[in-house]
Amino acid sequence: MCCDMSPAFIKGAADNFSQAKGTFDKFHVMKDLRLSLQEFWNIDDLTTAASYLQEWYL
């Protein structure tokens, strides 16, 4: 099952669909990763963070 990445959705899915396996869409995973890397590397420019991710992802 695919659901939102918010803790409330994850908990609701786990409580109501305990046998289902969960997955998240690539867009939100990459968005969260980009924001985390941006914070970790102190990058102000989103384009620079996206270029780092492209190199890693490809």
Side-chain angles (χ1 to χ4, degrees), residues 1-26 29:
M1 141 172 94
C2 185
C3 75
D4 192 276
M5 292 178 63
S6 74
F9 274 95
I10 295 169
K11 182 179 180 337
D15 290 348
N16 293 295
F17 304 102
S18 60
Q19 299 297 317
K21 292 186 179 189
T23 187
F24 303 110
D25 63 287
K26 184 171 84 170
V29 172

Side-chain angles (χ1 to χ4, degrees), residues 15-43:
D15 290 348
N16 293 295
F17 304 102
S18 60
Q19 299 297 317
K21 292 186 179 189
T23 187
F24 303 110
D25 63 287
K26 184 171 84 170
F27 171 80
H28 287 101
V29 172
M30 295 302 288
K31 177 185 155 215
D32 285 353
L33 179 59
R34 184 189 76 224
L35 293 174
S36 295
L37 289 175
Q38 183 181 357
E39 182 180 324
F40 179 76
W41 286 326
N42 295 318
I43 298 171

